[in-house]
């Protein structure tokens, strides 16, 4: 692949006391790619996302975006360098309506939007994520998938180059899942680069250009979805020794 490397992670290490959650992780993400970050429960996926987004500090290693070293910068500086995220457990502001939730994101842009400009931009974003009709609904009254859409909208309000989705498709019913997959594909078509932590195999196969697989903090595979999902070491990591 000849496209530009957008994000590069090298030698990334994070320990919690005696537990090594992330061990010498390294991978590149090219502009325009969707990279799946896979691995069994507790393998360190969310911790990698937290290290990239600045929610946690790395003990060692480097995170570089567009050639700029952002390792261990405060989260707001990392967000201004073009990285936005959603959380494994949805976080919206339940008492505020959808417009206000998006406006809260717009206020965190490098060049914040306020007032009428923010209102107009929020409406446009709500339309883009399929929530135009719920503009005045309090976030706490939305269905689960709509709360997820809203959280995604708030991340998009930051105009990221790189979007980090942590199990954004988890917990959806089959028809919601198809809608969710279509929305992620639309973002890719708009040029966004995405790292998605995901367990839903249909979503991984239909969306990911490449997958990085972790086990016990370490990268064990990096390749196309077909390559990694048929890799004996990956199968062993997910199912245990008896299945490989
Ligand atoms: N803040 C923390 N303090 C202590 N240990 C932590 C902390 N965050 C994560 N861990 C531990 O680090 C390891 C990796 O956790 P992490 O949440 O990154 O896994 P994960 O791959 O996202 O798992 P899941 O698929 O269940 O979401 C786990 O053993 C977890 O208990
Ligand atoms: Mg996780």
């Amino acid at each position: 692949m000849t496209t530009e490397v957008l994000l590069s992670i090298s030698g990334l290490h994070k320990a919690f006391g005696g537990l090594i959650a992330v061990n010498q992780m390294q991978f590149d993400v090219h502009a325009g790619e969707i990279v799946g970050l896979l691995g069994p429960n507790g393998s360190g996926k969310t911790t990698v996302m937290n290290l990239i987004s600045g929610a946690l500090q790395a003990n060692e290693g480097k995170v570089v975006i567009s050639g700029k070293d952002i390792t261990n910068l405060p989260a707001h500086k990392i967000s201004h360098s073009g990285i936005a995220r959603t959380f494994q457990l949805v976080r919206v502001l339940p008492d505020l309506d959808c417009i206000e939730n998006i406006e809260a994101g717009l206020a965190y842009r490098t060049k914040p939007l306020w007032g009428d400009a923010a209102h107009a931009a929020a409406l446009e974003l709500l339309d883009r994520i399929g929530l135009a009709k719920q503009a005045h609904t309090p976030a706490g009254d939305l269905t689960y998938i709509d709360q997820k859409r809203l959280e995604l909208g708030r991340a998009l309000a930051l105009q990221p180059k790189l979007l980090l989705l942590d199990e954004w498709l988890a917990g959806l019913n089959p028809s919601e899942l198809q809608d969710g997959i279509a929305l992620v594909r639309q973002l890719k078509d708009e040029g966004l680069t995405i790292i998605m932590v995901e367990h839903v195999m249909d979503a991984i196969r239909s969306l990911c250009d490449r997958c990085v697989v972790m086990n016990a903090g370490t990268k064990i595979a990096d390749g196309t979805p077909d390559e990694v999902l048929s890799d004996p070491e990956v199968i062993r990591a997910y199912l245990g020794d008896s299945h490989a």
Side-chain angles (χ1 to χ4, degrees):
M1 195 185 287
T2 53
T3 53
E4 161 210 358
V5 172
L6 180 66
L7 182 84
S8 179
I9 287 173
S10 54
L12 208 59
H13 189 93
K14 179 68 183 178
F16 297 109
L19 175 90
I20 299 172
V22 174
N23 191 8
Q24 294 299 319
M25 268 305 279
Q26 75 176 63
F27 60 91
D28 288 344
V29 177
H30 294 84
E33 258 187 323
I34 298 187
V35 172
L37 185 56
L38 319 186
N41 293 122
S43 55
K45 305 176 299 293
T46 295
T47 305
V48 168
M49 300 292 237
N50 284 335
L51 294 172
I52 296 171
S53 65
L56 285 173
Q57 302 271 296
N59 302 121
E60 287 169 35
K62 251 187 177 183
V63 181
V64 175
I65 182 157
S66 304
K68 183 181 166 219
D69 188 343
I70 56 164
T71 320
N72 292 346
L73 289 183
H76 71 275
K77 291 215 167 133
I78 292 179
S79 122
H80 286 172
S81 72
I83 300 179
R85 71 176 301 180
T86 64
F87 290 88
Q88 188 165 357
L89 301 172
V90 183
R91 296 185 188 177
V92 290
L93 302 165
D95 297 331
L96 300 185
D97 72 20
C98 291
I99 296 180
E100 292 163 331
N101 265 273
I102 299 288
E103 286 174 345
L106 294 167
Y108 282 96
R109 275 192 188 172
T110 315
K111 292 181 183 160
L113 291 183
W114 308 101
D116 290 348
H119 195 82
L123 286 174
E124 201 181 305
L125 254 169
L126 287 171
D127 190 44
R128 186 169 159 207
I129 55 173
L131 281 183
K133 286 192 186 127
Q134 287 90 337
H136 296 286
T137 305
D141 292 349
L142 294 174
T143 61
Y144 184 61
I145 182 165
D146 284 348
Q147 291 198 12
K148 292 199 146 199
R149 284 182 194 275
L150 184 60
E151 197 189 22
L152 182 61
R154 216 172 41 182
L156 295 174
L158 297 167
Q159 295 180 303
K161 291 183 274 192
L162 175 68
L163 178 66
L164 309 177
L165 300 177
D166 195 351
E167 301 199 29
W168 190 74
L169 295 162
L172 302 182
N173 70 37
S175 82
E176 292 171 338
L177 181 63
Q178 291 315 310
D179 292 347
I181 289 173
L183 184 50
V184 176
R185 185 170 297 115
Q186 175 196 318
L187 299 178
K188 177 189 161 79
D189 291 344
E190 291 168 11
L192 202 58
T193 306
I194 298 172
I195 302 179
M196 51 190 281
V197 170
E198 201 46 72
H199 289 291
V200 180
M201 289 298 163
D202 281 353
I204 293 164
R205 286 188 191 279
S206 71
L207 288 171
C208 296
D209 299 297
R210 237 179 69 226
C211 296
V212 171
V213 188
M214 299 181 72
N215 189 30
T218 306
K219 182 168 101 170
I220 58 168
D222 186 338
T224 64
D226 281 346
E227 282 165 0
V228 304
L229 295 174
S230 61
D231 181 327
E233 193 174 353
V234 173
I235 296 167
R236 204 179 302 127
Y238 271 97
L239 300 176
D241 277 334
S242 57
H243 292 79

